[in-house]
Amino acid sequence: MTLYQQRREWLLSQIEEDSVVILVGNTEKVRNKNILYPFRQDHDFYYLTGFAEPDAVAVLRPGSDQPFVLFNQPNDEYQEVWFAARSGQKGAVEKFGADKAYDIAKLEQQLPALLGLRKHVYLSDELGLYQHRLFDWLHSQRKQAKFDQPKIFRTLHSVLPYIQNKRRIKTTEELSLLKHAVNASVDAHKHVMSICKPGMTEQQITAEFFNRAASHGCSDVGYPTISAAGNNACCLHYSENRDALREGELLLLDAGGDYNYYTADITRTFPINGTFTSSQRDIYQLVLNSLDAAIETVKPGASWNSMYPMAMKVLAEGLIDLDILKCSLDEALETKVYEQFTLHKTGHWLGMDVHDVGAYLDESGDWVSLQPNMVFTIEPGLYFPMHCQQVDEKWRGMGVRIEDDILVTETGYENLSAAAPRTIADIESVMCA
Ligand code: GLY
Ligand code: MN
Ligand code: MN
């Protein structure tokens, strides 16, 4: 428990003494009739409590004799026989370190007293489950103040910037979970390469990836797997995954296992039959060169915006060399004409969320500088859909993206996903083995 307690104590040390923080967890969502989607706790809530059951609210009050109060579902024999075990209020105290726990049904009754007259009210309620009720409570408390008491106007502040900028810098414990997710996913990518062949389906690849990641303890994937054959790779968040794998086409597999709330995010693109054609080779090598050049810019103190322009410069140069862009490099960089083929930026923070939280700009509006223990993806791509008339036919119907997970170290970087085959030689050798 000390890990979560340390995080709560850190948060409370950042805000005013006369504050109260209300953290609302996720609720369950119906898939159809009486079938629910698998439950996933809100990540900020989990980060501060480690509590993964639905319908919970945590109330943190610095300086109080009960700094951590948890409202959660009570034990219920029927519900626990049919659905899942519950910690109940006893477990909330004993296992999760709450100073006091109440049945969530008592929230309405207890919360006004916990708010008291604390001046600063911080909230995290991503689903908006209680924010309107909170306004009502604050309003009615103000109305109830006696004539000789101050009628304080209290507004709600988001607590998320404090938590989420902290989440950007990974602790040793977080890095070990993240590395586990990445290593499991690297092995799963390798496995998929080794069994991939024409005649299989995108769905089979999706299942093979998850099966192998699960064998390393991943309970889920961090985002819907993108298993995109041929032209399907030109749809960036393709997730239908039902098409056949055809001879002569590429497969783009963007998949990451989720291990104890931390996810990998790795993309590899490889020939379905195990051997790149000459035009696939040209595009693949170009994307790999741009990824490698972007990775080389990573070090503490470098700007978040060092990677994207570097990747785009290499891609633009290569597109000119391949005669896909018919202009000078200066013109290409000026007009950004390459964007019609690159489509997206080249990365995002990575952690509990695949597109992890935390600002990309600092308080002056400048790109943040990289710091040790930040983790992010770099993922340049080139996309030439079948209908793209601007390029020669030989390029059409392929999308290539290569995505690695990069940790900033004290002196530079570590490519956490480097062991997933990424050079043409390594991919062909794994696939033909
Ligand atoms: N898998 C989603 C992304 O790469 O951002
Ligand atoms: Mn990504
Ligand atoms: Mn990805």
Side-chain angles (χ1 to χ4, degrees), residues 28 34-36 54 73 76-86:
E28 286 179 305
N34 59 345
I35 302 299
L36 303 174
Q73 292 179 326
D76 177 317
E77 207 177 318
Y78 176 84
Q79 293 291 331
E80 293 184 56
V81 164
W82 277 91
F83 300 107
R86 294 177 174 187

Side-chain angles (χ1 to χ4, degrees), residues 338-359:
Y338 49 80
E339 284 183 352
Q340 64 187 306
F341 308 122
T342 61
L343 300 187
H344 53 79
K345 289 276 179 11
T346 51
H348 48 82
W349 308 128
L350 180 69
M352 300 179 83
D353 288 54
V354 62
H355 300 147
D356 209 23
V357 293

Side-chain angles (χ1 to χ4, degrees), residues 254 265 348 354-355 377 379 403:
D254 183 344
D265 181 12
H348 48 82
V354 62
H355 300 147
T377 67
E379 48 180 308
E403 175 173 31

